[in-house]
Amino acid sequence: MKNGDKTINKNSLKNSDKAINKNEKNQFNIGIRVKLIIGFAIPLVCTIIIGMVAYSLAASGMTRNYEDSMSKAMSMAVEYLDFGFQSAVSESEQLYYDTDLVKWATGSVYNEWTRQEIAEKVSVNLNVKQKGNGFVADMYIIPGNSLEVISTHDSDAKISGFYKDLEGKNEAACLQSLRGSWVGSHDYVDEVLSASYRDYSKDDYACSYIRPMTTKRACIVVDYSSNAIANILRNLGLGEGSISAFITADKRELLLRDDTIVKDSDFSFVQQSYYTEAMNETAATIIDYVTYNGQQYLFMLSKSYQNGSAICAMVPMNLVKESANSIRGITIFMVCVACLIALAVGIFIIVGIASIIKQISNKLEMVSSGDLTVSIRGRSDEFKMLVKSVSNMIKNSRNLIVQVLKTTENVSSSTQSLSNASEVLSNSNRQISVAVDEMDAGVGRQVQDAQNCLVQMDELSQCISSAVENVKKMDYITGNTKQVIASGISTMDDLSDKSANTTNITKNVTANIKNLKESLSQVEKFVEMINDIANETSLLALNASIEAARAGEAGKGFAVVAQSVSSLSDGTIEAANQIQGVMEQIKDYANDTVKVAAQAEVIVSKQSETVGNTIHVFGDMNEYLQSLVNEITDLDNIIKSMERHRNDTLSAIQSISAISEETAASVSTVNESLKEQITMVNNLHDSTLELKGRAKELTEAVNAFKI
């Protein structure tokens, strides 16, 4: 540039610096150091979150796995116990059906040697069963007072039977049923046995099965070993600090702490509410989380359906989550190491970046003051591209200033021509806007007319639809009417047939009455004949009486007969007269009936004629109705045709309305576009004026750079 020593306008530079400082104050300044720290911190935070999530998932998964495995172990332990219980019950069943033992217990064996032999045989059998079943601690057969107790505990000790002494004791409830019962303990039996057995202890068994013999003169007692059940609990492998127990149905408890049997303890599952709630549930295995002495435990309970007992266990949660805690420790250690490494690397990188940025910032500060002759020394690291880019920026800025000076001169001359052209374009747009407004108004009226026509066609459509519905109803009504008329014609045909039958019956009745009248005439002849016979009989009786009177004493018997015949003749005459009277009444009734039958015949004949006329009327109605149905069918076809034309017309009007609306929308859009174009032309004119001022200011500002 020729005038390279020119300086920038001071007022423009001050205004520019103020604007820059104001913008810097309005921004939230965050240094690159902070940004790098945040950049390093984000992966570390994500690593911490991942570690926490991994620990949570691992703890949750291990807890679920531990719960599942312990639940299966508890269920298998209970099944194993049930198997032992069932095997011992089966062995007691064998003793229950041993006939020799039953005879021995009932006292039906009177031979002392035989009783002794049976006792020894049963003792050997008990010992074999006890040795062969690891669950059984001891087995006893307790008979009455006359026999001795058979036991696997001490075969040398002699104890008299005390079965009858069990009445009234706690064991008596077990002896009421022949099926046997489970108990946690048998106190009276323990008292008797401990007096004879030196090493006998109630703690040696955890529960007992008592079953009476069939005759209820002896009972079988099977004690289940506490050590065998404790070994099952130990085999669960609950770990240090855990508590487990075997609890009978009558709440006797075998408690273990750290796999050791505890006789006297301040803790008991039976006294805990969560045990009671678990026993009340229907599930066979229950798992829950409880708190004991301020520490959280995993509580597990599995029920035995063989005898109502249950296995309980409580495991400290630190044992459950032990593996997860090791994962947490490793995660915390690795996160701390990563933080230290990231911090050291970050400090090293930040120091190097801060140094080069400071150098570049100083050079750019000189450039911002207008000195485009500065240079920046090169580097060999990643900032080499930045240094090169800044140097190219300064060089290009210098070239840009030269080009801007040339361009501003051309812009100044072009702005005047652009201002004149914008005025001409503005006037043209105003005229087009007026024409488009008139088109918009015309299209609006067309849309309104199409809408009104559409409304009227819709009303006409509704009327036609109503007419169609009415025609359908009329068709339905005429159909029903036709069916009713057909039914009436059928009914009248039946009535006509019945009237004909009635006429025939009336004629038959009239003929029968006439025949009856003729029969009555014949009966009258018979009555007259009877009267004649009676009169002649009376004359004969009279003659006989006269002859008897002539005969004197010899004719008295004949006179009596003549008297009787005369009396009979009189009675016959009287009866004939009565028959004659009745016949006269029957004849009168027959005459009346003949008259009535004749009248009925006339009425039935008229009725038949009326039925025929009615059938003819129904036929005419049916023909007229058929004609009406044909007319309604033709009307229905016409209305359907009108419906089709109505739909076509309605579709056409809707299409016209839609096109009109689209045209109106297009015209409105064009109108709006023209208005926006007018506004833009006005803005262009204003911008042209402003561009003139800015071009002048640009020339003055560019002259301030030193190139």
Side-chain angles (χ1 to χ4, degrees):
M1 165 177 190
K2 294 180 180 180
N3 299 326
D5 296 333
K6 292 183 178 180
T7 59
I8 61 173
N9 185 282
K10 293 183 178 180
N11 293 329
S12 299
L13 183 59
K14 289 180 180 180
N15 293 333
S16 177
D17 291 340
K18 289 180 180 179
I20 292 172
N21 292 331
K22 185 176 180 181
N23 291 333
E24 289 179 351
K25 290 180 180 179
N26 292 334
Q27 293 178 353
F28 180 68
N29 295 321
I30 300 177
I32 191 170
R33 183 179 303 172
V34 177
K35 293 179 180 179
L36 286 173
I37 292 173
I38 294 174
F40 279 102
I42 289 174
L44 292 176
V45 171
C46 292
T47 303
I48 294 172
I49 293 173
I50 290 172
M52 294 174 62
V53 172
Y55 166 73
S56 177
L57 293 177
S60 177
M62 290 179 179
T63 301
R64 286 196 298 270
N65 291 336
Y66 188 85
E67 290 177 358
D68 294 339
S69 61
M70 290 307 301
S71 175
K72 293 178 181 178
M74 295 279 286
S75 299
M76 292 177 65
V78 170
E79 290 177 1
Y80 184 48
L81 277 176
D82 286 342
F83 173 74
F85 294 150
Q86 183 61 39
S87 63
V89 170
S90 299
E91 291 173 354
S92 66
E93 290 280 344
Q94 296 175 8
L95 296 173
Y96 179 80
Y97 291 107
D98 191 334
T99 55
D100 291 338
L101 180 60
V102 172
K103 292 178 181 179
W104 174 82
T106 56
S108 59
V109 179
Y110 300 102
N111 188 305
E112 180 64 26
W113 183 84
T114 304
R115 285 201 304 269
Q116 186 65 28
E117 183 181 11
I118 293 174
E120 291 177 357
K121 178 182 176 182
V122 172
S123 177
V124 172
N125 191 13
L126 289 182
N127 281 280
V128 171
K129 293 180 182 297
Q130 186 266 337
K131 298 297 181 182
N133 193 332
F135 286 97
V136 177
D138 284 301
M139 298 179 69
Y140 308 93
I141 297 178
I142 303 174
N145 297 334
S146 61
L147 300 172
E148 292 182 353
V149 174
I150 301 175
S151 169
T152 61
H153 188 81
D154 187 358
S155 59
D156 295 331
K158 304 298 182 181
I159 303 174
S160 298
F162 54 92
Y163 179 79
K164 292 184 179 180
D165 297 336
L166 294 177
E167 295 181 0
K169 306 298 188 298
N170 293 333
E171 292 85 339
C174 305
L175 305 176
Q176 299 302 318
S177 173
L178 292 177
R179 298 179 61 85
S181 300
W182 291 91
V183 294
S185 61
H186 36 66
D187 297 335
Y188 185 74
V189 174
D190 294 338
E191 180 182 349
V192 175
L193 296 179
S194 61
S196 301
Y197 298 147
R198 290 177 296 176
D199 57 347
Y200 182 86
S201 176
K202 179 180 179 180
D203 297 329
D204 291 340
Y205 69 92
C207 63
S208 183
Y209 180 73
I210 302 177
R211 180 168 189 170
M213 302 294 288
T214 54
T215 57
K216 291 189 177 182
R217 295 185 182 180
C219 65
I220 303 169
V221 179
V222 182
D223 290 341
Y224 284 80
S225 173
S226 297
N227 288 329
I229 295 176
N231 288 332
I232 293 176
L233 297 177
R234 294 187 186 101
N235 291 333
L236 293 175
L238 300 177
E240 185 179 357
S242 60
I243 305 172
S244 59
F246 170 76
I247 303 173
T248 62
D250 55 0
K251 298 184 178 180
R252 186 188 177 192
E253 188 171 5
L254 175 63
L255 187 68
L256 279 77
R257 280 183 179 270
D258 295 332
D259 296 337
T260 303
I261 297 176
V262 180
K263 294 182 180 179
D264 297 323
S265 175
D266 57 348
F267 175 80
S268 175
F269 281 102
V270 176
Q271 297 175 355
Q272 307 303 321
S273 59
Y274 47 81
Y275 166 80
T276 305
E277 293 174 357
M279 291 300 293
N280 290 332
E281 293 185 12
T282 57
T285 302
I286 294 91
I287 295 178
D288 196 3
Y289 291 93
V290 299
T291 302
Y292 172 63
N293 288 340
Q295 185 178 359
Q296 191 176 16
Y297 283 81
L298 174 64
F299 170 71
M300 297 171 289
L301 183 143
S302 188
K303 303 175 186 176
S304 169
Y305 290 107
Q306 186 68 31
N307 58 7
S309 61
I311 292 178
C312 299
M314 288 202 315
V315 181
M317 287 303 297
N318 56 1
L319 293 179
V320 178
K321 297 183 178 180
E322 184 176 3
S323 299
N325 291 334
S326 63
I327 294 175
R328 179 178 61 181
I330 294 172
T331 303
I332 293 173
F333 174 76
M334 294 302 296
V335 168
C336 293
V337 172
C339 289
L340 293 176
I341 295 173
L343 182 62
V345 174
I347 292 173
F348 177 76
I349 294 174
I350 289 170
V351 170
I353 293 174
S355 176
I356 185 61
I357 289 177
K358 184 176 181 181
Q359 180 187 357
I360 296 173
S361 178
N362 292 332
K363 298 297 182 179
L364 291 177
E365 184 68 25
M366 295 173 65
V367 172
S368 66
S369 300
D371 187 3
L372 299 178
T373 60
V374 298
S375 62
I376 303 174
R377 68 176 183 270
R379 289 178 60 90
S380 59
D381 56 7
E382 286 78 3
F383 282 93
K384 179 180 179 180
M385 297 299 297
L386 178 60
V387 171
K388 184 178 180 181
S389 298
V390 172
S391 299
N392 292 332
M393 181 194 70
I394 296 172
K395 181 180 178 181
N396 293 330
S397 298
R398 192 163 48 243
N399 296 331
L400 178 63
I401 295 302
V402 174
Q403 295 294 330
V404 167
L405 285 174
K406 294 179 181 179
T407 305
T408 50
E409 294 177 359
N410 296 328
V411 170
S412 298
S413 60
S414 299
T415 51
Q416 184 63 38
S417 300
L418 182 61
S419 177
N420 296 332
S422 64
E423 290 180 359
V424 175
L425 181 61
S426 177
N427 293 329
S428 300
N429 286 336
R430 289 192 188 95
Q431 295 176 1
I432 294 173
S433 178
V434 172
V436 169
D437 287 337
E438 293 177 357
M439 291 175 62
D440 191 11
V443 171
R445 288 192 298 273
Q446 183 180 2
V447 170
Q448 185 64 33
D449 294 338
Q451 190 67 30
N452 294 333
C453 183
L454 182 62
V455 172
Q456 293 175 0
M457 284 303 299
D458 188 49
E459 293 177 355
L460 178 60
S461 174
Q462 293 178 359
C463 294
I464 293 173
S465 298
S466 299
V468 170
E469 293 295 329
N470 292 332
V471 169
K472 290 181 179 179
K473 292 180 180 179
M474 291 173 63
D475 190 14
Y476 177 74
I477 293 171
T478 53
N480 292 336
T481 305
K482 187 175 181 180
Q483 294 178 358
V484 172
I485 291 174
S487 177
I489 292 172
S490 176
T491 303
M492 293 306 297
D493 290 336
D494 293 339
L495 182 60
S496 177
D497 294 338
K498 292 179 180 179
S499 297
N501 294 332
T502 304
T503 303
N504 294 330
I505 292 170
T506 304
K507 290 179 179 179
N508 293 331
V509 170
T510 303
N512 292 331
I513 293 173
K514 290 179 179 179
N515 293 330
L516 177 63
K517 188 175 181 181
E518 292 177 358
S519 298
L520 291 174
S521 299
Q522 294 177 0
V523 171
E524 287 180 352
K525 293 179 180 179
F526 293 149
V527 171
E528 290 177 356
M529 187 180 295
I530 291 170
N531 287 328
D532 293 340
I533 293 171
N535 291 326
E536 290 179 1
T537 303
S538 180
L539 291 175
L540 291 174
L542 180 61
N543 292 328
S545 297
I546 294 172
E547 292 297 331
R550 287 179 181 176
E553 196 65 32
K556 288 182 178 180
F558 190 70
V560 173
V561 173
Q563 184 64 34
S564 298
V565 171
S566 177
S567 299
L568 180 60
S569 176
D570 293 337
T572 300
I573 292 172
E574 185 178 357
N577 291 331
Q578 292 178 356
I579 291 171
Q580 183 69 30
V582 172
M583 292 302 298
E584 289 294 333
Q585 292 179 356
I586 292 174
K587 187 184 291 184
D588 294 336
Y589 292 154
N591 291 329
D592 293 337
T593 302
V594 170
K595 292 179 181 179
V596 172
Q599 293 176 358
E601 184 177 1
V602 173
I603 292 171
V604 169
S605 177
K606 290 181 179 180
Q607 183 179 0
S608 299
E609 183 179 356
T610 302
V611 169
N613 294 331
T614 304
I615 292 173
H616 181 69
V617 171
F618 270 110
D620 294 339
M621 288 175 64
N622 191 22
E623 292 179 358
Y624 294 147
L625 184 61
Q626 184 63 40
S627 300
L628 178 61
V629 169
N630 295 332
E631 294 296 331
I632 289 174
T633 302
D634 295 338
L635 178 60
D636 185 33
N637 294 329
I638 293 171
I639 290 177
K640 287 181 179 178
S641 178
M642 292 174 65
E643 178 71 13
R644 288 193 296 271
H645 293 307
R646 188 267 303 174
N647 290 329
D648 296 338
T649 305
L650 187 61
S651 299
I653 293 175
Q654 289 177 347
S655 178
I656 293 171
S657 178
I659 294 171
S660 299
E661 290 178 355
E662 292 177 357
T663 304
S666 300
V667 171
S668 299
T669 302
V670 172
N671 194 10
E672 293 294 330
S673 299
L674 285 173
K675 290 180 180 179
E676 292 178 357
Q677 188 174 358
I678 292 172
T679 303
M680 293 176 65
V681 169
N682 293 331
N683 294 334
L684 178 62
H685 186 266
D686 295 337
S687 299
T688 303
L689 297 177
E690 184 178 358
L691 181 61
K692 286 182 179 179
R694 295 297 180 186
K696 185 177 180 180
E697 292 178 359
L698 180 62
T699 302
E700 295 175 353
V702 169
N703 290 331
F705 284 95
K706 183 169 65 175
I707 57 177

